[in-house]
Amino acid sequence: CRTQAEADAGKAAIQRALRALRQRHLVEEGAHRPAIEALNRPFAAHALEWKEKAEKNELELQQCYKAQSRLSEQLVSEINEAKTSKALLKEKEALITALQSELQQTSEENVQLKQSLEEKTNALDLLVQEHQAAKAELERVLTKLKAVEHENTQLVERLMQAKMVEAEKLNEANAMYEEMVLKLKAAGLGAGGIQHHAQQEADGVIRRSEAGYVDIMETPIPSTCRITIRAHDGGCGSIIFQNNTDKLISGGQDQTVKIWSAHTGALTSTLQGCLGTVNDLAVTNDNKFVIAACSSNKLFVWEVNGGRPRHTLTGHTKNVCSVDASWVKSLVIASSSNDRTIKIWDLQTGFCKSTIMSASNPNTLAFIHGDAICSGHRDGSLKFHDIRSGKCFATVAAHIDVSSICVTRSKNHVLSSGREGVHKLFDVRMPTEVVEICGTFRAPSNRLVGSWGRACISPDENCIASGSSDGSVCIWSRSKNEGPTILEGHSLPVVTSAWSEFGPLATADKNHIHIWA
C-alpha cells in the first residue's frame, strides 16, 4: 500500500516536472523567436541593418565624445572657479579678521581719546581760570605801570636838574681852567706846559663830576713778556679778561674756551661743548656767564662756576663774528653776524629779544651805554643803535673796513680799528648829539691781521695796544706825542689783545698767548 502511494507521488512529480519543462521551453522559444526570425532572413538584409546601426552607434559615440569634452572643459573651469572662490574666501576671512582687530583697536583708541578729551576739558577749564587770574594780574601791572610812568616822569625832571648842575660844574671847571692858565702865565711857564697842566687839572675835575667815576691808577707801558701760554690747538681766536679779576679767558679753533690765571699762567678750567671756531668772547658784568660767538652760526653760554652749559643761542644764519654783554643789565647780550644782523638776547630765557638789520656786515660791536650799542661795519662806518627801538641814531664814517671796536672802562670813549692799520678814538658821551674824534693812531709797521685783528685800550684810557701781522705789538700813549712803543716776542701775526683792569696786557697769535708786564 505504501509502495503504491510512493509510486503515485513519483508519477505526479514527474508530470509536474514535464509540465515545467514544457513551459520553460515555450518561454525560451518566445525569447529567442526574434533571433530565430532574424536568422531566417537573408544575410544581405542583416548586413545593411548592422551597418546602419554601426553608423548610428558611431555617430552617437562621436556625440558622446564631444559631450564628454565639453563636460571636461566645464569641469576644469568649475574646478578653477572653485579654487579662485576658495582663495577669495580665505582673503575675505583674513580681511574680516583684520577688520575685527582694527575695530577692537579703534574702540580702545576711542576710549583713550575720550579720556584725553576729558583731561583736555579739565585743562581748558584750568587755563580759563589762569587766564582770568592773569587778566587780573595784568590790570594790576598796568596800574603799577602808570605809577612807574609817573615816577619816571619825575625822575626825568630830576635828571634834567642834575644835568643843569653838571653844566654848572663844567662852567666852574672852565673858569678854573682859565684862572689856572692866567696863574701859570704869571708864574712864567711856557704855553705848552700851561695848557697841558691846566687840561690835566680840568679833566680831573670833569671826570670826578661824572657818574660812575672810578679813580684808576696810571697804567705803565709794558716792556717784557712775563708769561707765555700754549693755549689752543689750531690757533687762538679771541681773549678777554674777567671783570675786576686777573682771570684770562681764551677761545680757539679747538672748539674749547679756557680760563687762565694771568698771574701764574695756570689753566683753571676748560669749558666744553662748543661747535665751531671761537671768533669772539664776552663775560657778563657779574662774571657769572661766559659767551662764545662761533663759526657754527651759534652762540654758547656757560656758567663760570662749574663750567655747566647754560644756553645754545640759535638764530643767526651765518658766521657769528662778535658778541658783547651789557655792563648794566647782566642778562642782556648782543651779537653780530655775517648775515647782516645784530641780535639782542635774553640770557634768562635764552631767546632773541630783537633783531636789527644792516646794509653792511657788522664785523664787531660793543655796549656803550645801558641801552645803546656801537657796531663797526665792513663798509667802514660806526653805527650807534638803541636796542629798545632798534633804530640807528648816529653814523660815523671811520675806516675803510672796521675790524674791531673797544669801549673804555668809563664808557666815555670808543676805540675803533680799521683794516688799513689806523686806530681812532671817539668821544661818545653824547652820541645822540655829536660823536667827536679824540685821536688817531698809526704806525708804518702796524698792519692788522685781516678783518678780525682786535686792538684794546688800557684801564686808565691812556694807552692803545694793537698787534701786527709781522708779530710785533704797538703801544701808543695819549699823553705823549711820541711814536709807539714796539713789543717783540711773537713769531706769528698777532690776532687779538686785551688789557686787564689790574694792569697786565695779553696778546695772542695762532700758537701762543703772551702776558706782558
Side-chain angles (χ1 to χ4, degrees), residues 140-245:
R140 187 183 67 79
V141 170
L142 289 175
T143 304
K144 188 177 179 179
L145 178 62
K146 290 180 180 179
V148 171
E149 288 177 350
H150 178 67
E151 184 180 356
N152 186 38
T153 303
Q154 294 179 347
L155 289 174
V156 170
E157 293 177 355
R158 290 171 58 186
L159 178 62
M160 296 302 296
Q161 293 176 359
K163 285 188 175 292
M164 292 177 65
V165 173
E166 293 291 334
E168 291 177 358
K169 290 182 180 179
L170 184 60
N171 292 333
E172 292 177 1
N174 290 333
M176 183 185 299
Y177 173 76
E178 293 175 358
E179 183 180 355
M180 292 176 64
V181 170
L182 293 176
K183 287 181 180 180
L184 292 172
K185 282 183 178 179
L189 293 177
I194 293 170
Q195 184 177 3
H196 179 69
H197 184 71
Q199 184 65 39
Q200 282 184 338
E201 294 293 331
D203 184 60
V205 173
I206 293 170
R207 287 183 62 194
R208 283 170 174 79
S209 68
E210 293 172 351
Y213 168 74
V214 178
D215 191 8
I216 303 174
M217 296 179 61
E218 182 179 353
T219 302
I221 296 178
S223 58
T224 59
C225 177
R226 185 167 57 86
I227 297 174
T228 300
I229 301 172
R230 173 75 180 185
H232 298 274
D233 295 333
C236 180
S238 179
I239 57 175
I240 188 175
F241 280 96
Q242 276 189 341
N243 301 312
N244 300 317
T245 71

Side-chain angles (χ1 to χ4, degrees), residues 367-439:
F367 279 90
I368 55 174
H369 298 297
D371 294 313
I373 59 172
C374 175
S375 58
H377 295 257
R378 187 160 293 176
D379 61 3
S381 64
L382 297 179
K383 296 182 183 294
F384 298 85
H385 304 271
D386 187 335
I387 64 174
R388 294 169 299 183
S389 62
K391 293 182 179 179
C392 175
F393 55 80
T395 301
V396 177
H399 303 277
I400 297 175
D401 182 357
V402 181
S403 62
S404 71
I405 56 176
C406 177
V407 180
T408 61
R409 180 171 178 174
S410 66
K411 311 302 178 185
N412 293 332
H413 299 87
V414 168
L415 174 68
S416 67
S417 303
R419 189 174 182 180
E420 70 278 10
V422 178
H423 311 275
K424 295 182 180 181
L425 191 65
F426 294 91
D427 187 337
V428 294
R429 283 177 286 188
M430 294 184 293
T432 57
E433 299 177 7
V434 61
V435 178
E436 296 181 347
I437 185 168
C438 302

Side-chain angles (χ1 to χ4, degrees), residues 58-281:
E58 184 177 358
L59 181 61
E60 289 179 356
L61 183 60
Q62 290 177 357
Q63 291 177 355
C64 288
Y65 285 154
K66 289 180 180 180
Q68 183 180 6
S69 176
R70 288 195 300 269
L71 290 175
S72 298
E73 292 176 356
Q74 290 179 1
L75 181 60
V76 172
S77 177
E78 292 294 336
I79 290 172
N80 292 333
E81 288 180 359
K83 290 181 180 179
T84 304
S85 299
K86 189 175 181 180
L88 184 61
L89 180 61
K90 289 183 179 179
E91 291 178 0
K92 296 295 183 181
E93 289 177 350
L95 180 60
I96 289 172
T97 304
L99 289 174
Q100 288 177 348
S101 176
E102 185 177 355
L103 178 61
Q104 185 178 359
Q105 184 178 0
T106 304
S107 300
E108 294 175 354
E109 291 178 355
N110 187 21
V111 172
Q112 294 177 356
L113 289 174
K114 188 175 181 181
Q115 294 176 353
S116 177
L117 179 60
E118 292 177 356
E119 293 176 357
K120 298 292 184 182
T121 304
N122 296 332
L124 180 61
D125 294 338
L126 182 60
L127 287 175
V128 170
Q129 295 176 1
E130 291 179 354
H131 174 70
Q132 293 175 353
K135 188 175 181 181
E137 180 68 16
L138 177 62
E139 293 176 353
R140 187 183 67 79
V141 170
L142 289 175
T143 304
K144 188 177 179 179
L145 178 62
K146 290 180 180 179
V148 171
E149 288 177 350
H150 178 67
E151 184 180 356
N152 186 38
T153 303
Q154 294 179 347
L155 289 174
V156 170
E157 293 177 355
R158 290 171 58 186
L159 178 62
M160 296 302 296
Q161 293 176 359
K163 285 188 175 292
M164 292 177 65
V165 173
E166 293 291 334
E168 291 177 358
K169 290 182 180 179
L170 184 60
N171 292 333
E172 292 177 1
N174 290 333
M176 183 185 299
Y177 173 76
E178 293 175 358
E179 183 180 355
M180 292 176 64
V181 170
L182 293 176
K183 287 181 180 180
L184 292 172
K185 282 183 178 179
L189 293 177
I194 293 170
Q195 184 177 3
H196 179 69
H197 184 71
Q199 184 65 39
Q200 282 184 338
E201 294 293 331
D203 184 60
V205 173
I206 293 170
R207 287 183 62 194
R208 283 170 174 79
S209 68
E210 293 172 351
Y213 168 74
V214 178
D215 191 8
I216 303 174
M217 296 179 61
E218 182 179 353
T219 302
I221 296 178
S223 58
T224 59
C225 177
R226 185 167 57 86
I227 297 174
T228 300
I229 301 172
R230 173 75 180 185
H232 298 274
D233 295 333
C236 180
S238 179
I239 57 175
I240 188 175
F241 280 96
Q242 276 189 341
N243 301 312
N244 300 317
T245 71
D246 67 340
K247 295 298 180 61
L248 176 66
I249 306 173
S250 67
Q253 295 184 10
D254 58 358
Q255 302 182 5
T256 63
V257 174
K258 298 181 179 181
I259 303 178
W260 312 83
S261 171
H263 181 67
T264 63
L267 178 65
T268 60
S269 63
T270 300
L271 307 179
Q272 305 282 354
C274 181
L275 299 177
T277 300
V278 177
N279 296 324
D280 196 15
L281 294 167

